[in-house]
Amino acid sequence: MRFTPASIALAVLLTTVSSVGLTQRPDNQINPQSVEWQKAGEAARRAGNLTGATDALESALAADPRNRAAYVELAEVARAQGLQGKAIRLYREALLLDPADVSALVGQGEAMVEKGAIAKAKENLAQAQSLCKADCGQIAQLSAAIQKGPPVAVLSAKDKDPATPNQAKTTENP
């Protein structure tokens, strides 16, 4: 009688642990449908169809949210669209799935440089260097982007130059 509460607790614990193990897949078993959508998204991005690429990659993530490569590819699409903040967030999602993903670290670092966050990009560079023991071209690419600095903002004809005051056109009457 005195072992009944302990045996009930142990039974509940074993039931919970065994049911969790049955529902989760290992990291290397991504849903094949998700992989197909991911490849379609990569092809669309290479073809220049960023909207189609976004749709396909979001479908890949809906099919299997553990598809880290789809997050990285979707972040690349966001960078191509000029959405560096979104790209940084998507790279972070990929890094949550695998903190040792050098391509996600480098991509996030490059997006940070494009956004102007050089100090955080340097942190990503240091982390990527610690992970990549051999000669990694991606690390050299991030290092070069940090040395170059953020892109210079170009004013378009629609933008007003903040240094010049607004001048109203005046017509002189003779």
Side-chain angles (χ1 to χ4, degrees):
M1 248 351 204
R2 62 181 186 201
F3 295 113
T4 303
S7 63
I8 291 174
L10 184 60
V12 169
L13 177 68
L14 290 175
T15 304
T16 305
V17 171
S18 65
S19 66
V20 169
L22 292 175
T23 60
Q24 292 182 349
R25 281 190 225 152
D27 291 346
N28 60 357
Q29 292 182 354
I30 302 296
N31 184 342
Q33 187 178 19
S34 177
V35 174
E36 288 179 31
W37 280 111
Q38 173 197 337
K39 288 180 182 178
E42 289 172 2
R45 181 181 66 90
R46 283 192 300 270
N49 181 3
L50 299 180
T51 304
T54 300
D55 292 343
L57 292 165
E58 286 177 350
S59 296
L61 291 171
D64 193 346
R66 299 194 53 83
N67 190 342
R68 181 176 32 89
Y71 279 113
V72 171
E73 189 66 28
L74 190 56
E76 291 294 323
V77 171
R79 281 183 58 202
Q81 293 173 331
L83 304 171
Q84 280 72 24
K86 182 178 180 180
I88 291 168
R89 182 181 55 80
L90 290 165
Y91 284 123
R92 187 176 328 128
E93 292 292 329
L95 289 168
L96 287 174
L97 293 172
D98 182 11
D101 186 353
V102 175
S103 64
L105 277 170
V106 169
Q108 187 182 43
E110 289 176 344
M112 288 175 177
V113 168
E114 292 167 3
K115 194 158 173 82
I118 302 296
K120 290 192 180 252
K122 287 180 180 179
E123 291 174 14
N124 275 36
L125 177 63
Q127 193 174 4
Q129 286 172 333
S130 69
L131 291 172
C132 190
K133 304 299 180 198
D135 183 34
C136 294
Q138 294 174 327
I139 292 175
Q141 184 179 350
L142 176 57
S143 182
I146 290 172
Q147 292 298 322
K148 183 179 174 185
V152 178
V154 178
L155 295 176
S156 68
K158 296 177 187 176
D159 297 332
K160 294 181 184 177
D161 185 9
T164 352
N166 268 345
Q167 296 178 356
K169 288 188 176 182
T170 58
T171 55
E172 296 181 21
N173 290 336

